């Protein structure tokens, strides 16, 4: 019995020593929130979708969410996968639409349309350029579609193939970002038209504190002869 007791003490001390050694290597543990299920982009992130998990502090990079109260009124910036540890950069405030407003997102050229300056909460004017051909003449125009449009969100940069483009040709690829707006029903239709038919859609960032603008001069157009098509 004495031998068995001494053996148990030795095992206990050995295990304790091992645990202490592992803890010393791992370091302090912190509590973070871990997703129990997938969350779609722009989907609400709720308390029921997460669980607490202890993770070594040294394994973490960047600020993580540790309190379920921080999830109130939040949505996912992009699609989130089950098992992910929630970082503060993964969630944003849910869009707040005023009565009568619609939420609409379109793809904008990253270089000419956004250029890294337009962010969530920005106020912009939206311009469209297009070309019309009638008979032997071609008319190219630029027009202001929207004034003081509020940006809800700017998504991640992605590569998109142009119409009729060759996937193997780098010249046919462009960098675009999805930009989400909060607009009236009328302005929503105008923006949807521009995405479908305009040659290019551009955003003009309005400076902070701007209250009055110059009068809109309307469309700016130029008319050129259409080159004859030879059979």
């Amino acid at each position: 019995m004495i031998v068995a007791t001494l053996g148990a003490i030795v095992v206990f001390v050995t295990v304790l020593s091992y645990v202490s050694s592992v803890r010393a290597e791992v370091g302090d543990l912190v509590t973070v929130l871990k997703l129990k299920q997938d969350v779609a982009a722009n989907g609400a992130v709720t308390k029921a979708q997460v669980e607490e998990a202890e993770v070594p502090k040294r394994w973490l990079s960047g600020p993580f969410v540790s309190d379920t109260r921080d999830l109130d009124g939040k949505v996912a910036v992009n699609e989130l996968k089950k098992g992910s540890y929630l970082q503060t950069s993964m969630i944003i405030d849910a869009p707040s639409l005023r009565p009568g407003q619609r939420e609409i997102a379109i793809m904008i050229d990253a270089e000419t349309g956004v250029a890294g300056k337009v962010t969530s909460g920005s106020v912009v004017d939206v311009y469209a350029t297009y070309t019309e051909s009638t008979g032997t003449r071609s008319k190219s125009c630029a027009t202001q579609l929207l004034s003081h449009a509020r940006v809800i969100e700017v998504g991640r940069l992605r590569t998109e193939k142009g119409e009729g483009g060759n996937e193997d040709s780098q010249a046919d690829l462009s960098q675009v970002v999805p930009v989400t707006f909060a607009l009236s029903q009328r302005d929503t239709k105008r923006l949807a038209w521009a995405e479908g038919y305009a040659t290019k859609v551009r955003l003009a960032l309005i400076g902070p504190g701007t209250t009055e603008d110059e009068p809109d001069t309307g469309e700016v157009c130029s008319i050129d002869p259409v080159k004859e098509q030879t059979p």
Side-chain angles (χ1 to χ4, degrees):
M1 183 178 294
I2 295 175
V3 174
T5 302
L6 290 175
I9 294 174
V10 171
V11 171
F12 174 77
V13 171
T14 302
V15 172
L16 185 61
S17 176
Y18 174 76
V19 171
S20 299
S21 175
V22 171
R23 183 171 296 174
E25 293 181 5
V26 171
D28 296 334
L29 299 178
V30 294
T31 300
V32 298
L33 298 183
K34 180 180 178 182
L35 284 172
K36 297 191 294 184
Q37 62 188 70
D38 294 344
V39 179
N42 298 317
V45 183
T46 65
K47 299 175 183 179
Q49 296 170 324
V50 299
E51 60 184 356
E52 292 185 348
E54 288 192 339
V55 181
K57 186 176 182 179
R58 66 174 60 183
W59 292 0
L60 302 179
S61 58
F64 282 73
V65 184
S66 58
D67 193 332
T68 54
R69 290 176 295 184
D70 294 334
L71 301 179
D72 293 340
K74 299 293 185 180
V75 297
V77 175
N78 298 290
E79 182 181 3
L80 303 179
K81 294 297 185 181
K82 176 182 178 180
S84 300
Y85 296 107
L86 272 182
Q87 298 186 48
T88 55
S89 60
M90 295 178 176
I91 55 177
I92 58 174
D93 292 332
S96 55
L97 298 179
R98 294 189 291 269
Q101 285 189 323
R102 274 74 172 169
E103 183 176 326
I104 180 173
I106 66 169
M107 304 304 295
I108 299 290
D109 185 278
E111 183 175 353
T112 61
V114 180
K117 299 293 185 178
V118 176
T119 59
S120 299
S122 295
V123 178
V124 300
D125 288 339
V126 181
Y127 295 88
T129 57
Y130 62 93
T131 301
E132 292 181 349
S133 297
T134 55
T136 60
R137 291 188 176 277
S138 175
K139 181 174 72 172
S140 298
C141 296
T143 184
Q144 180 178 349
L145 285 174
L146 306 177
S147 176
H148 290 76
R150 180 166 61 93
V151 175
I152 292 179
E153 180 186 349
V154 178
R156 277 188 178 180
L157 185 70
R158 65 183 69 175
T159 301
E160 189 175 77
K161 183 181 67 172
E163 292 185 8
N166 185 344
E167 292 183 354
D168 297 328
S169 174
Q170 293 297 320
D172 296 322
L173 301 178
S174 59
Q175 299 293 312
V176 295
V177 290
V179 180
T180 305
F181 297 89
L183 302 173
S184 66
Q185 183 180 29
R186 173 180 174 274
D187 287 345
T188 299
K189 292 179 181 178
R190 291 173 64 86
L191 192 60
W193 173 88
E195 185 184 35
Y197 297 101
T199 305
K200 185 78 70 174
V201 177
R202 297 175 183 267
L203 307 182
L205 183 63
I206 298 176
T210 301
T211 57
E212 296 183 1
D213 291 330
E214 297 177 359
D216 184 10
T217 58
E219 292 185 333
V220 178
C221 301
S222 63
I223 299 177
D224 298 308
V226 175
K227 294 182 179 179
E228 295 293 335
Q229 298 287 335
T230 56

